[in-house]
Structure formats: structure tokens, C-alpha cells
Amino acid sequence: MSLQDTGPSLNWPEPGNRAQTCAPLPGFEKGSAFIDGRIVPIEEARIPLLDWGFLRSDAFQETVSAWNGKVFRLDDHLARFRRSGERLRMPIRYEPAQIREIIHALVRVCGYDKAYVQIINTRGRPPIGSRDLRLCESRFQAFCMPYMWLKPPELQSLGMSLHISSRLRVPPASADPMVKHYHWLDFEMGLLDAYDAGCETVVLTDSDGNVAEGPGFNIFAAVDGTLVTPARNMLDGMTRRTVLELARRLGLPVEEAPLSPEMVRGASEVFLTTTAGGVVPVTSVDGKAVANGAPGNFTTRLHAAYWALREEGAMGDPIDYSAATPEEWLG
């Protein structure tokens, strides 16, 4: 993808220096996966039927991205991954340094300079006949695909259409939102509601009646000249964290506070933050245009700042494409 001006509102930075990648190994053109200590083509990845990650959604994950051969905020992602394991009382078989090498290897065997990587820990299963989760042996797996977009870059100036659902996000008293878990049925049903309403995506509300989060993204809205993003009842997204830092660096007024559906519907700007696309404009909410129906000043400035950061390779962990991948992982 070439980062060019995609419309009157969003100006992408000029592409930076491309990483010196390598050719993909045979069979890995579409992606790769790390399963049971081996790297396999993504279409060959399998998990056991009896794993409670599948049977009970008893699992957690982190999604990281590589851009121009550098993995973004990897240490922060690994720290959050470990936090999820601690909160779910689920051991992680690999140390952070080992997981880093697995991520690098998954990208390297595909030869990607821009990649979407998910690392996953599942509960595993207890011995046959037992339901005691203390007897489970947790499992680690991961996969890598080409970089994914919530909205393709050539269409982002058009913005996304958002539906605010009356469905409640799983409450914190039931599932800790600071764990990046797979409790997504509320999101899935909310998405179906959004499609029925003619919208592209959805944001759920919480038990306080405020907006919480959407499937894989956080939300910001410009209310009375200040950017507001929910302060609780949602995951502290890594792109959200980056945008908060950028906003403060640029001197933009921003706060973490309750955000009601009415505030979103009446906002002068709305955007989403996600690993799958960075800062993504929203130009309509529940069928009504946001302001004049085009990305606003906060959105365009933060969009440009975020992608400039990625092009510069800031907070990026460089992949050594010349490094050897352990033979036992490819055996």
C-alpha cells in the first residue's frame, strides 16, 4: 500500500524507508501460526476440540502490528498480556523474550513488512472426566497475517457509520475488561443489529448507560471542544493509549470521562482507535451525519500524527529478517 492523500480530509505521511525483508518460505504466503511449538502455514493451524479456550472462551490475547518491519509497542503489549494471565490465574508457558522471538519468526517466515499478529493463551483442558480447571495445562499459540484494516485506507476519508447499541457490554463484575478476553457474543449480536440498521460497526453501552467500547476498538468524541474517551468499563487499548499521548503532546484538550450515547450523537467529531487501522474517522452515528459528515480537525491531526509515528518507526521493535528461525519450530 502506498500512503498517499486519500481525499480532502486525511493526509497520510509520505512512506518511510521500507524494511529489508526476505522472501516468504514456501507455503507461508498467506500467513503463519505457532501451534504446539511449531510454526505452520496459517491454513494448517488447528486447536484441540477439548481446549477450554474453544469450549468456554477461557482464553486471552494480544494483537500487535508490524509496520515497515517494526513491531509497535511490543513491550507494552507483552506487559498487558502478562497482566491478563495474572488476572485470569492462567500460566503463560513462554517468557516475554521468547514470545518476542516467536512474533518475529512468524512475521519473518512470511516475509511481511506490515503484519497483524495475535498471541493467544488458552486454559487448555483438565484430564478426561474432570471439570477442575486447576488441573488444566494452559497452551500458547499465535498467528500472523498481512496487516488488517477496520476501514481500507482509500476509504477512510469517507468515515465509518456507527450504531450505538442498546446491548450491554459484559459487565466488569462478570468479566474483567482489563483482560483482553474473547467474550464477544455481545459484540457479535451488536454487529448484526448495526448491519440491520444500515451501519458498518457498533459500540456497546455499559450498565451505567454510557458508551463502553466496540469490537476491537475504543471510541473518542469531541464534546464542547474537548476530546472525551470512556474512562472505565472497557479495555485500555494500546492505540487509545498512543492517541492520548499524542493529543497531550499536541496540546489538544482530552479527558477520560463518562461518555453518554447522547454526547456521541451530538459530538462535533467521532473517531475509533484500533490496532487494525490506527485512528479511524466516524462520519455518521445511527444514520445521522456527524457535523458536516467529514473527518474533523482533531481527527485529521491525530490521524496524521499516529501514522507519522508509525512511518518513523517510533516505539518499534525491528525484525531481523536475516536471523535464522529455530529448526525445531519448522520441523
Side-chain angles (χ1 to χ4, degrees), residues 10-329:
L10 297 181
N11 289 296
W12 300 76
E14 288 298 319
N17 295 326
R18 285 180 60 97
Q20 296 297 313
T21 61
C22 56
L25 295 183
F28 287 95
E29 294 83 3
K30 293 183 179 180
S32 57
F34 185 86
I35 302 289
D36 293 330
R38 294 181 60 244
I39 293 177
V40 299
I42 194 166
E43 293 181 333
E44 296 178 15
R46 302 289 186 272
I47 62 169
L49 179 65
L50 298 183
D51 191 315
W52 282 10
F54 169 68
L55 293 178
R56 299 188 176 186
S57 296
D58 193 355
F60 62 92
Q61 59 105 343
E62 279 292 318
T63 300
V64 303
S65 64
W67 193 263
N68 288 346
K70 296 180 177 67
V71 185
F72 189 55
R73 301 197 78 142
L74 183 53
D75 288 343
D76 292 329
H77 277 288
L78 293 177
R80 195 173 63 176
F81 190 65
R82 189 151 297 276
R83 181 187 75 186
S84 291
E86 290 168 354
R87 293 192 176 205
L88 291 182
R89 297 165 64 180
M90 191 188 302
I92 301 170
R93 292 189 178 188
Y94 296 95
E95 294 299 319
Q98 295 173 301
I99 297 175
R100 173 185 179 273
E101 291 306 314
I102 291 167
I103 291 170
H104 280 220
L106 287 172
V107 178
R108 185 167 57 242
V109 298
C110 298
Y112 297 156
D113 68 333
K114 298 174 177 62
Y116 178 99
V117 182
Q118 196 165 118
I119 54 176
I120 306 161
N121 219 62
T122 63
R123 185 73 66 179
R125 67 169 179 84
I128 296 292
S130 173
R131 301 184 69 183
D132 188 341
L133 80 169
R134 295 171 300 180
L135 302 179
C136 292
E137 293 188 11
S138 62
R139 303 177 69 247
F140 174 88
Q141 43 265 313
F143 65 84
C144 171
M145 302 187 297
Y147 186 82
M148 293 178 60
W149 297 90
L150 183 63
K151 181 92 170 181
E154 64 273 15
L155 300 178
Q156 282 194 18
S157 284
L158 301 176
M160 294 196 74
S161 55
L162 177 71
H163 173 60
I164 301 177
S165 179
S166 59
R167 294 182 185 272
L168 301 186
R169 183 64 174 130
V170 177
S174 299
D176 186 351
M178 301 300 276
V179 171
K180 196 169 175 65
H181 54 66
Y182 282 105
H183 294 279
W184 268 46
L185 278 181
D186 48 2
F187 284 148
E188 302 288 89
M189 300 310 296
L191 277 169
L192 291 173
D193 293 339
Y195 301 153
D196 290 343
C199 297
E200 294 172 276
T201 194
V202 69
V203 66
L204 304 190
T205 50
D206 62 23
S207 56
D208 297 325
N210 294 312
V211 166
E213 59 183 332
F217 60 76
N218 294 107
I219 184 170
F220 285 72
V223 181
D224 296 328
T226 297
L227 279 173
V228 182
T229 188
R232 54 192 301 268
N233 297 340
M234 82 297 156
L235 181 72
D236 55 335
M238 209 60 68
T239 310
R240 172 184 181 272
R241 184 185 304 184
T242 304
V243 167
L244 284 169
E245 293 167 356
L246 288 171
R248 290 164 181 149
R249 188 183 307 168
L250 292 169
L252 303 179
V254 63
E255 63 179 26
E256 301 171 71
L259 183 63
S260 70
E262 293 73 23
M263 292 166 71
V264 176
R265 294 188 180 105
S268 58
E269 297 183 46
V270 180
F271 61 81
L272 313 176
T273 57
T274 171
T275 296
V279 176
V280 182
V282 170
T283 50
S284 71
V285 176
D286 290 331
K288 181 182 177 182
V290 176
N292 64 355
N297 182 60
F298 287 143
T299 306
T300 55
R301 289 183 68 184
L302 288 165
H303 181 281
Y306 175 81
W307 283 108
L309 196 74
R310 298 303 304 268
E311 284 295 333
E312 292 164 6
M315 294 185 281
D317 183 40
I319 296 166
D320 182 357
Y321 290 90
S322 66
T325 299
E327 287 292 332
E328 62 269 22
W329 290 356

